Amino acid sequence: MVISVLIGFVVLSTLGLLFGLALIAGERQELKKMTVLDETGIEVQARVKHITPVGTKGYGRVLYEFDGPDGGAVRYEKPESLAPHHVAGATFPLVHHPRNTKSLHMGTKAVVRKERKGRQSSIKLAYGFTLASATVCALAIVGLVLSP
């Protein structure tokens, strides 16, 4: 019975360890994006060009357009929960990379800074979760080795 429990701990903690590592990788990538946008991003006003409702639950695809660094119009489509302020012609703040307009975030630079801090906190929590999973896995393996 004890061996079954220890094997269960090894399996579950290994899954937790893998999940934590994947979470760290994804959050670090988003943190890098937010850092670049915070330090070099350009804040512009994006205009709603077109709204395509999807289903009957109040969701849709919103097509935004904003002026790119070369002066040409850049389009960006995003699935959104449709609200009364989503109408054609409405403007929303957007921060984009100066050379890569596909790297962007809806909101102001202050929102980007807040998102960046949130990503930093998420990474710290993911490190703690991963360390806890590794510790449980190691203790369970030691228990298996020492069990009669």
Side-chain angles (χ1 to χ4, degrees):
M1 176 71 178
V2 172
I3 292 177
S4 299
V5 170
L6 290 174
I7 290 172
F9 273 118
V10 169
V11 170
L12 291 176
S13 61
T14 301
L15 291 174
L17 181 64
L18 294 174
F19 174 75
L21 292 173
L23 187 61
I24 290 169
E27 288 295 316
R28 289 181 84 186
Q29 185 177 3
E30 281 298 309
L31 176 62
K32 183 179 177 183
K33 175 185 168 187
M34 290 300 133
T35 301
V36 169
L37 287 176
D38 184 29
E39 293 172 354
T40 64
I42 299 170
E43 188 173 331
V44 296
Q45 290 295 316
R47 294 169 302 284
V48 175
K49 292 299 281 183
H50 184 70
I51 301 168
T52 307
V54 177
T56 59
K57 303 222 182 217
Y59 292 95
R61 297 195 63 78
V62 180
L63 179 65
Y64 296 96
E65 187 176 87
F66 60 94
D67 297 327
D70 60 355
V74 178
R75 290 185 171 205
Y76 168 66
E77 191 171 36
K78 181 180 178 190
E80 297 259 4
S81 174
L82 299 179
H85 60 272
H86 283 107
V87 294
T91 59
F92 294 93
L94 175 141
V95 178
H96 69 84
H97 189 277
R99 291 178 302 281
N100 179 9
T101 55
K102 291 182 181 181
S103 177
L104 54 85
H105 188 76
M106 294 298 294
T108 61
K109 289 264 274 201
V111 171
V112 170
R113 259 181 241 109
K114 185 177 179 182
E115 181 77 17
R116 180 181 176 187
K117 286 180 183 177
R119 297 290 177 181
Q120 290 170 334
S121 297
S122 295
I123 289 173
K124 288 178 185 176
L125 289 172
Y127 275 124
F129 179 79
T130 304
L131 181 62
S133 294
T135 303
V136 169
C137 186
L139 290 173
I141 290 172
V142 167
L144 281 172
V145 169
L146 296 178
S147 67

